[in-house]
Amino acid sequence: MAECYTLRYVNIATNKIESGNNAPPQQIESPLTGNIRNSSIELLRLISMFMIVACHFVMGNKANGASGLWISEQPLSFTNFFYQVICRGGGWFGNIVFFTISVWFLIDKNITVKNSLKRIWILERELLFWSITLFVVTVVLHQQGIYRDGLAMLGVRSVLPLSTNLWWYPTSYALFLLFIPYLSIALKALGRKLHCTLAISVLIIWGIAPLLPKITFNLVSDTVFNFLYLFILISYYKWYMSEFSNRTCIILILVGLSTNILYWLAGSIIYSHTGKLIQMQNYLVVRCSISEMMIGFAVFILFTKFSFHSRIINVLAASAFGVYLIHIYPSMIAVWPNYLSINKVFYNTWAIPLGLLEIFIIFGVCLVLDLLRQGLFATTINRNKGKWFELMYATIQRKVAHRKSYRKPHVSSDSVPKHRAD
């Protein structure tokens, strides 16, 4: 199938493509809602998910423990740098990029509560499909003795994936969708000056101050507050700031990466001499830190400056989120690291290529599985996407309207004061 690749300059503020021959600008549709999707952004979506898988590859094996300390105990080396700074740092880089892609096209839209609920409804269908499917697989693995943990609570969480926080990202994103209709109106009502003050305040509190270890101001876990924080900054940039130049983006990436390297290097040296502060090596890369934001947002802006269309990339990118759901499902993350893990390749001469190969295997298998899900949905429930939600929403609206009209006080003829005719 022929593919058309056209390199163009993208004006971020107007979200339009300007071709080199001054042709009329063409609107770029949202990758979430539109028909025309910029494959540059979709390629970045795939890259960000690959980096998230790479992060979990470093942290996922049992030898690492819950916080991935095994690799932090290894001697200082380029291999250590690659896996800790690049791969492990790719986790929050991927989260930030993935969220920015989603929210970038929502900022200027008139998002209503109904729109948000419909998006959550559509999101929940995919979550339920994978949570129930993977739970069935887990039962089989449990019977075979491959998965040894309990099934009862996992079963409950699989039936209620959003409300039980089975996956932190979709739960936080669903909550964010509930807030965005109000948050967007509120931020616009603030105006440029107050919005700027708010953006600077949160950047100091949750960005600059936490550069000092142990100072977190409660932004320590994977919650919706990370997304609210990012939205305040992203919306200010898109509404009021001039577009970052390529040079500015590159500087942001280099400063962010240098900051991560500095913390990793200092933490490694301190730990090798004292046996203390082992977690300082990864202090910035395991949270929504200012360095990770600088890298992630700058990379996103660079990708928005170019546009091309590839149907293959667009189809693959539509399954990127499925890769996340599959490989990080509780039982899956407990099983696959037994076969594909960093501690099995770390001391090999080809440690980095072998590790990348294993990451590609995890990513590729999950991608293929979700492509099958995508095909199944296309021939079944996506033929009338959101139809059941519209019917349910309309029914609830009618019932609410009926109750309001029923409760309206009636004015009887007896209660109307009668005037005496003179």
Side-chain angles (χ1 to χ4, degrees):
M1 183 176 294
E3 298 179 52
C4 175
Y5 295 88
T6 307
L7 189 62
R8 296 171 183 169
Y9 172 84
V10 177
N11 185 311
I12 299 174
T14 60
N15 213 19
K16 294 180 180 178
I17 303 176
E18 298 175 359
S19 59
N21 58 1
N22 296 321
Q26 298 173 323
Q27 185 70 29
I28 301 177
E29 299 286 349
S30 162
L32 297 179
T33 60
N35 296 321
I36 304 172
R37 295 192 294 167
N38 182 357
S39 296
S40 174
I41 301 300
E42 298 307 297
L43 177 61
L44 180 59
R45 193 191 299 273
L46 286 168
I47 293 171
S48 65
M49 187 52 62
F50 179 84
M51 295 307 297
I52 291 173
V53 174
C55 173
H56 294 150
F57 173 75
V58 174
M59 298 181 65
N61 63 81
K62 292 181 179 179
N64 271 349
S67 56
L69 293 182
W70 179 86
I71 193 170
S72 301
E73 296 171 346
Q74 307 313 306
L76 199 63
S77 66
F78 180 76
T79 302
N80 190 305
F81 157 78
F82 177 79
Y83 281 117
Q84 289 214 73
V85 178
I86 305 300
C87 291
R88 193 169 182 187
W92 264 104
F93 163 82
N95 290 334
I96 290 167
V97 169
F98 215 84
F99 175 76
T100 304
I101 292 173
S102 300
V103 79
W104 186 261
F105 300 97
L106 292 177
I107 287 177
D108 294 325
K109 292 183 179 292
N110 182 26
I111 301 298
T112 64
V113 174
K114 179 184 176 182
N115 296 147
S116 292
L117 290 174
K118 186 174 182 179
R119 290 172 183 273
I120 294 170
W121 174 281
I122 293 172
L123 172 66
E124 178 77 347
R125 298 180 315 162
E126 186 174 350
L127 298 185
L128 279 171
F129 175 86
W130 279 121
S131 63
I132 294 173
T133 300
L134 293 173
F135 180 72
V136 172
V137 173
T138 302
V139 172
V140 175
L141 294 177
H142 191 272
Q143 291 175 345
Q144 299 295 321
I146 298 174
Y147 178 71
R148 301 180 184 277
D149 294 340
L151 295 176
M153 183 53 66
L154 182 60
V156 173
R157 297 181 69 195
S158 296
V159 175
L160 302 168
L162 269 182
S163 54
T164 59
N165 204 33
L166 183 62
W167 296 282
W168 82 266
Y169 188 100
T171 296
S172 297
Y173 186 67
L175 289 171
F176 170 77
L177 287 175
L178 290 177
F179 294 143
I180 192 174
Y182 313 103
L183 185 61
S184 183
I185 293 173
L187 289 176
K188 286 179 180 177
L190 285 178
R192 179 170 185 166
K193 186 175 180 181
L194 286 176
H195 193 164
C196 178
T197 303
L198 176 63
I200 292 173
S201 299
V202 297
L203 198 57
I204 292 173
I205 294 170
W206 288 325
I208 296 175
L211 288 173
L212 297 174
K214 302 297 183 181
I215 297 179
T216 58
F217 290 108
N218 287 334
L219 198 72
V220 294
S221 57
D222 303 329
T223 68
V224 67
F225 291 104
N226 292 291
F227 293 162
L228 298 177
Y229 168 39
L230 289 171
F231 182 73
I232 292 170
L233 301 177
I234 294 169
S235 58
Y236 182 80
Y237 171 86
K238 192 171 186 185
W239 290 341
Y240 303 116
M241 292 181 66
S242 299
E243 175 194 346
F244 286 168
S245 65
N246 290 350
R247 183 173 180 272
T248 300
C249 291
I250 292 171
I251 290 174
L252 287 173
I253 294 170
L254 291 177
V255 171
L257 188 59
S258 299
T259 305
N260 288 346
I261 293 173
L262 179 63
Y263 273 72
W264 165 76
L265 191 59
S268 298
I269 294 173
I270 292 172
Y271 176 72
S272 64
H273 286 81
T274 66
K276 299 179 180 180
L277 298 179
I278 187 172
Q279 294 184 343
M280 184 179 174
Q281 298 174 46
N282 305 303
Y283 176 71
L284 294 181
V285 300
V286 297
R287 66 190 73 245
C288 189
S289 65
I290 190 171
S291 59
E292 291 290 289
M293 287 193 300
M294 292 167 71
I295 299 169
F297 190 68
V299 169
F300 170 78
I301 295 300
L302 287 176
F303 270 74
T304 61
K305 292 174 180 287
F306 303 97
S307 178
F308 69 94
H309 177 72
S310 168
R311 187 174 180 180
I312 294 175
I313 288 178
N314 291 352
V315 170
L316 294 177
S319 284
F321 187 60
V323 172
Y324 170 84
L325 297 179
I326 298 169
H327 90 278
I328 202 64
Y329 183 78
S331 61
M332 298 299 105
I333 193 67
V335 170
W336 63 255
N338 295 328
Y339 307 94
L340 301 170
S341 63
I342 189 174
N343 58 326
K344 293 183 178 180
V345 301
F346 188 82
Y347 287 107
N348 192 290
T349 305
W350 303 96
I352 294 176
L354 286 174
L356 287 174
L357 177 61
E358 293 193 0
I359 295 168
F360 268 112
I361 291 172
I362 299 165
F363 180 82
V365 170
C366 295
L367 190 66
V368 170
L369 289 174
D370 196 74
L371 286 171
L372 295 175
R373 190 274 316 163
Q374 192 181 147
L376 177 63
F377 273 33
T379 57
T380 54
I381 59 176
N382 276 357
R383 297 180 69 178
N384 293 292
K385 198 171 184 178
K387 179 182 177 181
W388 287 106
F389 172 82
E390 294 290 348
L391 290 172
M392 185 181 70
Y393 193 87
T395 301
I396 294 174
Q397 270 191 322
R398 284 195 301 269
K399 289 185 176 182
V400 171
H402 177 71
R403 281 178 173 269
K404 285 183 178 179
S405 63
Y406 180 78
R407 290 180 179 179
K408 215 178 221 181
H410 279 299
V411 180
S412 65
S413 58
D414 295 333
S415 62
V416 177
K418 297 179 181 179
H419 298 279
R420 186 179 61 182
D422 292 331

